[in-house]
């Protein structure tokens, strides 16, 4: 009755490890402009192929092509470029600040700037973001002051979060940017709850949640998709597939036999898989999903296919688990380089302007850092009073916290 | 009103007063909940304020947090307290921590209702009293009523509270003041003064205990079902026990506790949950820290055993009046 | 920029409520025999349509048709019929025993007997089952003594589980039937873990997990599918879609816009959707999935499309939330009636044999009940000593449990 | 060996001895774990005995339970104890209950390793000490070592134990016996006698505390990092304190505790976790119940505050030697 083959456990292995040459042969990259763009009124079951392809707008020559081209004016494109560059400059500075002992920890989003910036620009500023720790670009795109972000990173006296949170765990109600969670994935179904509330109140604001491809394995991801599907929640569910979750390649998260976008299909939700390093593709996909949400057609899942170009965090050393050159050779390139090439191809940009902009954003960051450091850094130790440690556990401080504060001498 | 009606009334009152109050959970919509606590609410307030959810307690809590962030005041039902564990991360890492981590910008004013406790032959997964876990989580308030009047007043306070509240409902008390004498019929709440529940809005404040019986000999700290068991036990042991119904576990009413134990010099703590690291441990530590020089005998704990709640042997597990009376006598010995 | 339509929350409603006529217009039932049967070596992505159809073998006339016909011999068919009837008779008796106060609680699987029986018969007896509370038919199919099951239901002195568990929470290592959980869905990823272990040890036994369509919303479901996909675990992941989760119709679980089988596709797993009231279809699907698992092709998800013909449990009254006649009018019929018709059509069965079998299974159950009741019932109170309550918390009893046992007087 | 090497060695020894031991968790395979505890094990024992998992703590625990049922002995790593919450249901409702609910037919001989505690500027989600929750769950054993020798011996005992064991590793001790003086460099384990760890198999039994310093004045009950803090505090307070390293919290070594407090008549309990309903409450209750007549002063608790672990203020949160010394002095007062 039984087949007698001994059973075997399959453990996915990445295409290349340190010491081996990077291998991208598994990557299937459709040509820019080749993926059709259905009307947002199309039924999800008719759009399933969009979960298995890659929406790309920018071609190798820097031209914007195909039905997903959002036809942005040069001003908007330049704003996108500037915001991405500002984000990268900010990241570089904060990374160095950590190395200089000014703070305990830092996380860059290098290579993933287009995802946050284009999405933020394609949404309304009042739409609510439930980010992970790699969407600082959204705060920046919304014009949030770098100084305020740095105050948080430095846990200094001006840190609105009172030094309580690890660096990069920003929170800004005013910027409609939800408090970043340490526990992965928790924010994803919360975004759905927020969107449900907006629908219950007949509001017109939608939500956008973010999650890394690694964190999609958490139950929270499933709850987000289930609730979004059941209640037709007006939310964009963004999966950032940057190929790695710390040391684990995306196959360990379940990317070997399917795409992450395809997870959506089983719930009857539409899914777009986009080139996350293509500013225009991200912008267009976001607009499409936002349009669906705003017209009561419910949630869309977007997988942003990208690459984590630097370390997971300042505590990580990727050379221990992936080929050193993999990042530089990533076939989908760098989002800043690609948008710059596009603007140049349009005749709306030049090397001089690029150099000028580069200096400009560097200065902006430097100036902000000077101000933020004047309020202290973790290294120098200026911070909120220990008495504040007992605030905000509850709205009103109960007796036991008052007593404990006294015990500490306050 | 019985306790189910009182809870229903609390939600009804609050939904009528505040458009931001929404109710959801498994089977709470059309059907009105497996214990009927939400009966009629969907009909009255519509499907987008009272609705059924997928079976995903973590999803229920997570969406409640998101709604709280938006500005709603969600009341969610976890069908049995035993099924709250899948939601632990959302409760601990998010609901409880949100105000702190955003320095007050974002909050989760959620009320989590969950029937708890045994006595209905529910076995290990329909009988648990997990309150101790929540009391260890800073940022959560934990409430357990022992009668319909308090249940309604406390539930309204919980809904109006701007912090997340775990609201545990001793399901054995839904229909009457069960005192542990499972061999006798339970008198219905209609024959009990705490069954007289006003129709309208009123509150019983969080953080305040109630002295349900004054006495001089020994203090009993109890909550939920155990309040009635303690009353029966004190009568049966013929002791002049002062019985305190804590009502709120966090923040606990330390003043009432200290005043009583200082007076009596003796203390018995009673709960249905397993003993080790139960909330009785915290109470014992607090009493000892605050009343050391008044104590004439060791503080005793009468609790559920450190085993799962067994089906057929549930009355051997349940800390009934006999065991509580023994505890009282022990406390009087030294 | 924004569409000004006010947002709306969508809350799924069942086709009919009490007082309304049952409505099955939403049901799409392909003809028996019409669904192709791919080779088990086929790549999952080529079999996606199988998740959206319904594999059926028995046609209206009682003939077994099409490529999924497992071509079972009449002896096997009669064994299937007998086991289903025995299960139903057992359920009826235990239901009545509960009503008579002999136990606290009971759950029937009426209408769902084919799922457990056919799957058990299509598997090897050493394959490990991770059941929910509605697969008592599997224990019965494996020849497990009814008396032993009743002892558990009655929590009597012979209950191997020592009266600890609520009725119907069977456990039998000898029958490779995992201890039933009160917390929904927990067993589903455990089945995957067991299967992974079997693969790690190069064993040839596979696992089969069960879950209700309602419980698929739990995170555990997602973990099961993720781990099964990542490690190619030799497991059959059965979803029993009986249309209801207590009072909630399957739309509340996310069945409105997709099938439950389709959840599998996003993980790259193959899925079969079968008529769960068709013994032959369940048998054939199970064999197909077991063959895949045994040949190291990994997991298969099977959605068994059925109907919960009676109440959720003895604590439930379905007339409160669904039309009373819905069960009787269920378009896919009753599994026992259908298999009987098939045997009759084959000329392998008669009304006399049916009547005889009916008496036989009734007697068998009655006799078992007589024996079980001689060991006590919950109502009469003969049970294990309270001293046993402290056993098995740990392998060896630590001091605190010994002291507590003493406190209780043992 | 430092503690990381000692833990690695325990797993190595057990994998070599028992084919049924498997190791998995997030980043534990090729990379060897974010704290490097599993380094080299995949290379040595192969990918199907040491492997990376998806980021799903509940999935990790669930598959471990399934493997345990099959007959394996899984060791799983939860990257930070703060991330164990998603696995609560699998831990509480399944791993802890399986032996009981199947009357011993099915068991879950799992070891759950998780780095705990603060002192690395990890903020509220990389610093928690959630041990109290597990101690309340009957069916789970909870272990916290304070040095490399014990860490290896206890981990081997945990792996060999037939019940599920939560094995918490104070990450601040990985490299040296940190005593709370964060302003000073930590001496490495190589200069400490507990850093002398045999290469082969040995066990430190579960359920047995260790008296790390004998004394007559006052008993200190501590575990993990706090053992070293207590040692420093006793020296700095110039008190003849008896310091007990509990090592196992459930089952706790009641005999050693009672013997010591009976002798000293005073007791200070120290832990890093938040105070309310922390394991200190259980210890306080136990000491009070068992040593009431010996106690000369109130049992004191020196603990983390009932707030999340704050990032920049972590040394104001951490119960360092100064606070512990104050607690010792308070205990000597009455
Ligand atoms: C619940 C939980 N488990 C584990 C971790 C530890 N952790 C932090 S980041 C990370 C990897 C996440 O990878 P991915 O989701 O792909 O996001 P990325 O870092 O690539 O942006 C892990 C495992 C955590 N923070 N929370
Ligand atoms: C974690 C958890 N949540 C809730 C419950 C309560 N409950 C028991 S059965 C049930 C419905 C399950 O429906 P389904 O999965 O469709 O299975 P069916 O009863 O239809 O076989 C619910 C909500 C539970 N047992 N466990
Ligand atoms: Mg990633
Ligand atoms: Mg169902």
């Amino acid at each position: 009755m039984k087949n007698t083959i001994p059973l075997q456990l399959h453990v996915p292995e990445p295409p290349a490890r340190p010491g081996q040459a990077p291998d991208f042969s598994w990557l299937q990259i459709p040509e820019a402009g080749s993926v059709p763009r259905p009307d947002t009124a199309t039924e999800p079951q008719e759009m399933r192929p969009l979960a298995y392809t890659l929406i790309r707008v920018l071609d190798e020559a820097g031209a914007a092509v195909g039905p997903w081209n959002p036809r942005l004016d040069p001003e908007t494109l330049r704003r996108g470029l500037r915001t991405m560059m500002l984000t990268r400059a900010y990241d570089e500075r904060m990374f160095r600040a950590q190395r200089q002992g000014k703070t305990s920890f830092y996380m860059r989003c290098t290579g993933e700037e287009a995802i946050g910036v284009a999405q933020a620009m394609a949404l309304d500023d009042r739409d609510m973001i439930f980010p992970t720790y790699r969407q600082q670009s959204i705060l920046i795109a919304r014009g949030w002051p770098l100084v305020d972000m740095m105050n948080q990173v430095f846990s200094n006296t001006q840190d609105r979060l009172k030094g309580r949170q690890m660096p990069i765990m920003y929170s800004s109600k005013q910027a409609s940017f939800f408090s970043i969670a340490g526990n992965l994935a928790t924010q994803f179904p919360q975004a759905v709850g927020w969107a449900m509330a907006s629908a219950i109140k007949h509001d017109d604001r939608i939500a956008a949640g973010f999650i890394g491809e690694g964190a999609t394995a958490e139950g929270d991801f499933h709850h987000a998709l289930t609730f979004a599907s059941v209640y037709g929640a007006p939310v964009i569910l963004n999966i950032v597939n940057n190929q790695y979750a710390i040391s684990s390649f995306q196959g360990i998260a379940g990317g070997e036999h399917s795409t992450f976008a395809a997870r959506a299909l089983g719930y009857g939700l539409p899914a777009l898989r986009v080139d996350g390093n293509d500013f225009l593709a991200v912008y267009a996909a976001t607009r499409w999903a936002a349009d669906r949400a705003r017209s009561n057609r419910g949630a869309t899942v977007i997988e942003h296919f990208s690459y984590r170009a630097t370390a997971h965090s300042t505590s990580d050393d990727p050379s221990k688990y992936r080929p050193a050159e993999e990042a530089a050779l990533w076939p989908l390139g760098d989002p800043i380089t690609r948008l710059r090439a596009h603007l140049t191809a349009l005749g709306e940009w030049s090397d001089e302007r690029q150099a000028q902009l580069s200096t400009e954003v560097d200065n902006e960051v430097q100036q902000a850092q000077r101000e933020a450091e004047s309020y202290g850094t973790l290294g120098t130790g200026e911070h909120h009073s220990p008495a504040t440690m007992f605030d905000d556990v509850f709205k009103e401080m109960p007796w036991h916290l008052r007593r404990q504060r006294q015990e500490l001498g306050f | 009103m019985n306790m189910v009606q009182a809870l229903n009334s609390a939600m009804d009152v609050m939904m009528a007063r505040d458009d931001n109050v929404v109710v959801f959970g498994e089977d709470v919509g059309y059907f009105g909940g497996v214990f009927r606590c939400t009966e009629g609410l969907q009909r009255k307030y519509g499907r987008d304020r009272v609705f059924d959810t997928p079976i995903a307690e973590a999803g229920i809590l997570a969406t409640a947090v998101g709604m709280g962030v938006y500005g709603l005041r969600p009341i969610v039902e976890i069908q049995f307290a035993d099924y709250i564990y899948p939601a632990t991360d959302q409760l601990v890492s998010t609901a409880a921590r949100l105000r702190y981590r955003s320095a007050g910008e974002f909050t989760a004013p959620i009320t989590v209702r969950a029937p708890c406790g045994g006595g209905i032959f529910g076995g290990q997964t329909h009988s648990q009293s997990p309150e101790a876990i929540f009391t260890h989580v800073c940022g959560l308030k934990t409430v357990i009523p022992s009668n319909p009047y308090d249940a309604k007043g406390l539930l309204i306070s919980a809904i109006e509270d701007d912090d997340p509240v775990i609201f545990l409902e001793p399901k054995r008390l839904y229909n009457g003041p069960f005192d542990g004498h499972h061999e006798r019929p339970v008198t219905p709440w209609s024959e009990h003064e705490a069954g007289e529940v006003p129709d309208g809005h009123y509150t019983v404040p969080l953080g305040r205990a109630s002295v349900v019986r004054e006495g001089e000999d020994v203090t009993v700290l109890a909550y939920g079902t155990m309040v009635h068991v303690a009353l029966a036990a004190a009568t049966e042991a013929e002791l002049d026990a002062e019985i305190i119904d804590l009502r709120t576990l966090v923040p606990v009413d330390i003043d009432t506790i200290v005043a009583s134990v200082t007076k009596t010099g003796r203390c018995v703590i009673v709960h249905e949950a397993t003993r080790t690291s139960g909330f009785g441990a915290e109470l014992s530590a607090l009493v000892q820290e605050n009343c050391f020089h008044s104590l004439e005998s060791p503080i005793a704990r009468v609790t559920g055993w450190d085993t799962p709640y067994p089906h057929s042997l549930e009355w051997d597990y349940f800390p009934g009046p006999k065991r509580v009376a023994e505890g009282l006598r022990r406390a009087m010995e030294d």
Side-chain angles (χ1 to χ4, degrees), chain A, chain B:
Chain A
M1 166 173 183
K2 289 203 287 182
N3 187 320
T4 51
I5 297 174
L7 294 169
Q8 302 278 357
L9 191 76
H10 169 75
V11 179
E13 268 292 288
R17 285 293 193 189
Q20 299 175 322
D23 172 3
F24 302 108
S25 57
W26 57 278
L27 247 177
Q28 291 179 347
I29 309 177
E31 254 181 66
S34 65
V35 176
R37 182 184 181 283
D39 188 89
T40 55
T42 312
E43 287 299 323
Q45 63 266 31
E46 288 162 36
M47 305 190 279
R48 288 185 196 131
L50 291 174
Y52 297 102
T53 179
L54 207 55
I55 296 171
R56 306 177 69 230
V57 173
L58 289 170
D59 71 11
E60 316 308 305
V65 294
W68 286 94
N69 180 2
R71 296 170 201 284
L72 300 179
D73 58 71
E75 207 36 67
T76 305
L77 294 172
R78 277 189 294 260
R79 190 149 57 85
L81 182 67
R82 185 182 200 287
T83 311
M84 292 199 286
M85 284 175 63
L86 187 57
T87 302
R88 190 165 296 180
Y90 173 80
D91 270 359
E92 285 314 313
R93 277 260 152 197
M94 292 299 98
F95 174 78
R96 257 187 288 153
Q98 192 276 343
R99 290 293 188 238
Q100 292 161 351
K102 290 175 182 168
T103 189
S104 57
F105 179 80
Y106 193 73
M107 292 180 111
R108 291 177 282 183
C109 66
T110 313
E112 303 172 38
E113 293 90 348
I115 300 163
V117 174
Q119 176 137 133
M121 288 175 63
L123 290 177
D124 191 279
D125 278 354
R126 289 162 59 250
D127 291 330
M128 185 76 190
I129 307 294
F130 287 78
T132 79
Y133 43 77
R134 252 186 254 284
Q135 280 80 48
Q136 53 265 55
S137 57
I138 293 182
L139 265 182
I140 296 175
R142 286 189 170 177
W144 195 251
L146 296 184
V147 177
D148 187 73
M149 296 170 67
M150 289 174 178
N151 290 339
Q152 199 284 323
V153 170
F154 292 147
S155 281
N156 65 21
T157 57
Q158 295 296 304
D159 173 12
R160 283 181 303 105
L161 305 186
K162 304 186 187 168
R164 289 175 189 155
Q165 289 286 81
M166 272 181 79
I168 69 102
M169 307 293 255
Y170 313 108
S171 174
S172 171
K173 188 171 189 169
Q174 212 182 311
S176 296
F177 188 92
F178 185 64
S179 149
I180 295 174
N183 290 58
L184 289 171
T186 51
Q187 71 287 345
F188 216 52
Q190 290 165 359
V192 175
W194 194 97
M196 288 170 68
S198 192
I200 289 169
K201 301 305 272 185
H202 309 310
D203 195 347
D204 60 3
R205 290 176 294 163
I206 65 171
F210 284 84
I211 198 169
E213 93 294 341
T216 62
E218 293 282 3
D220 284 318
F221 175 78
H222 177 56
H223 305 140
L225 270 63
T226 302
F227 280 67
S229 162
V230 168
Y231 302 108
V235 62
I236 305 178
L237 294 167
N238 296 285
I239 303 167
V240 180
N241 179 359
N242 63 3
Q243 312 304 321
Y244 284 92
I246 309 186
S247 76
S248 301
F249 89 117
Q250 48 93 27
I252 292 293
E256 219 183 9
H257 303 296
S258 186
T259 67
F260 293 94
R263 296 279 196 280
L265 307 183
Y267 304 83
L269 294 174
L272 307 178
R273 192 156 178 268
V274 295
D275 177 349
N277 292 6
D278 178 338
F279 182 91
L280 297 178
V282 174
Y283 190 100
T286 303
R287 280 309 281 268
W288 188 89
D291 284 353
R292 282 191 82 252
R294 285 194 220 286
S295 44
N296 278 314
R297 293 208 169 81
T300 302
V301 171
I302 304 180
E303 175 183 347
H304 303 269
F305 196 75
S306 184
Y307 188 90
R308 195 195 76 208
T310 52
H312 172 70
S313 74
T314 48
S315 312
D316 179 46
D317 173 7
S319 73
K320 287 236 169 66
Y321 51 80
R322 68 184 190 188
E325 329 74 64
E326 211 179 67
L329 299 177
W330 178 244
L332 289 163
D334 175 84
I336 293 180
T337 313
R338 285 173 69 191
L339 187 56
R340 176 185 169 185
H342 176 51
L343 271 162
T344 306
L346 287 178
E348 294 284 348
W349 201 243
S350 66
D351 289 357
E352 295 74 53
R353 290 180 80 172
Q354 178 71 17
Q356 192 190 332
L357 178 56
S358 191
T359 313
E360 205 179 295
V361 297
D362 277 347
N363 286 344
E364 189 173 333
V365 173
Q366 215 171 323
Q367 212 168 324
Q369 188 173 0
R370 219 169 293 129
E371 182 181 343
E373 288 191 8
S374 77
Y375 308 133
T377 65
L378 185 69
T380 56
E382 297 100 324
H383 49 56
H384 285 273
S385 157
T388 63
M389 179 165 55
F390 302 90
D391 297 337
D392 300 323
V393 178
F394 297 101
K395 187 174 186 190
E396 272 136 41
M397 196 181 299
W399 69 269
H400 61 283
L401 283 167
R402 252 180 290 122
R403 275 208 206 161
Q404 291 180 14
R405 193 177 60 184
Q406 278 162 15
E407 260 186 67
L408 186 61
F410 293 94
Chain B
M1 292 186 193
N2 65 27
M3 203 190 277
V4 169
Q5 293 160 332
L7 294 163
N8 186 281
S9 172
M11 289 186 267
D12 190 0
V13 164
M14 287 309 297
M15 294 200 81
R17 283 167 78 102
D18 184 351
D19 269 358
N20 290 324
V21 175
V22 292
V23 170
F24 55 100
E26 297 158 18
D27 300 295
V28 305
Y30 184 90
F31 184 53
V34 296
F35 291 104
R36 331 292 311 131
C37 293
T38 57
E39 193 165 16
L41 296 178
Q42 185 180 74
R43 221 168 28 245
K44 194 159 169 189
Y45 298 101
R47 270 196 276 139
D48 59 2
R49 288 186 63 200
V50 183
F51 51 87
D52 291 328
T53 61
I55 302 173
E57 291 75 12
I60 293 171
L61 255 295
T63 48
V65 169
M67 290 184 200
V69 168
Y70 181 93
L72 302 189
R73 262 180 206 283
I75 307 171
V76 300
E77 177 175 305
I78 300 296
Q79 202 160 81
F80 285 85
D82 314 65
Y83 304 142
I84 206 165
Y85 301 120
T88 309
D89 191 43
Q90 283 289 342
L91 267 172
V92 174
S93 307
T94 311
R97 300 292 149 77
L98 192 50
R99 180 184 294 282
Y100 197 80
R101 80 181 203 212
S102 68
E105 271 197 344
F106 298 111
T107 60
I110 302 168
T111 303
V112 182
R113 293 180 41 246
C116 71
I120 59 155
F121 284 105
Q124 62 172 275
T125 59
H126 301 83
S127 309
Q128 291 171 60
S129 297
E131 66 274 6
I133 292 175
F134 308 123
T135 62
H136 186 50
V137 175
C138 59
L140 295 181
K141 295 182 180 174
T142 303
V143 174
I144 309 189
S146 73
N147 63 66
Y149 182 90
D150 283 358
K152 177 168 173 182
L154 288 166
L155 183 52
I156 290 179
S157 291
I159 299 167
E160 291 179 343
D161 199 276
D162 290 327
D163 288 308
V165 180
I166 309 293
F167 193 90
L168 295 168
E169 305 168 0
K171 62 179 92 72
R172 199 50 164 94
L173 296 182
Y174 276 151
N175 294 315
F178 177 71
D179 66 2
H181 281 295
H182 56 94
E183 69 288 0
R184 305 180 194 154
V186 182
T187 50
W189 282 115
S190 55
E191 293 170 27
H192 193 282
E193 77 172 338
E196 275 171 43
V197 178
D199 283 328
H201 179 277
Y202 69 91
T203 59
V204 171
L206 305 189
R208 271 259 211 99
S210 140
V211 179
V212 292
R213 174 180 148 152
E214 297 196 1
E216 301 295 323
D217 288 352
V218 51
T219 299
V220 182
L221 303 180
Y223 48 89
T225 311
M226 289 303 127
V227 172
H228 305 281
V229 175
L231 282 165
T235 306
E236 288 157 30
E238 299 183 352
L239 282 171
D240 188 18
E242 177 145 305
I243 297 177
I244 297 178
D245 177 356
L246 294 174
R247 303 198 294 201
T248 302
L249 306 191
V250 173
V252 79
D253 184 349
I254 189 75
D255 295 338
T256 299
I257 295 171
V258 171
S260 180
V261 179
T262 309
K263 177 176 75 172
T264 62
R266 294 167 197 277
C267 181
V268 175
I269 296 160
V270 199
H271 61 61
E272 207 180 325
T274 51
R275 181 174 303 168
T276 298
S277 293
F279 191 62
E282 178 60 30
L283 290 171
S284 177
L286 284 176
V287 167
Q288 192 277 145
E289 284 159 10
N290 287 280
C291 313
F292 183 78
H293 297 288
S294 311
L295 281 175
E296 288 167 45
S297 68
I299 305 160
R301 288 186 283 175
V302 183
T303 67
W305 310 119
D306 283 326
T307 74
Y309 220 114
H311 175 248
S312 67
L313 298 169
E314 77 173 350
W315 298 119
D316 297 289
Y317 179 95
F318 187 89
K322 184 156 152 283
R323 267 167 60 200
V324 176
E326 270 164 35
L328 290 172
R329 279 189 220 102
R330 231 186 312 138
M332 295 311 296
E333 264 168 30
D334 289 82

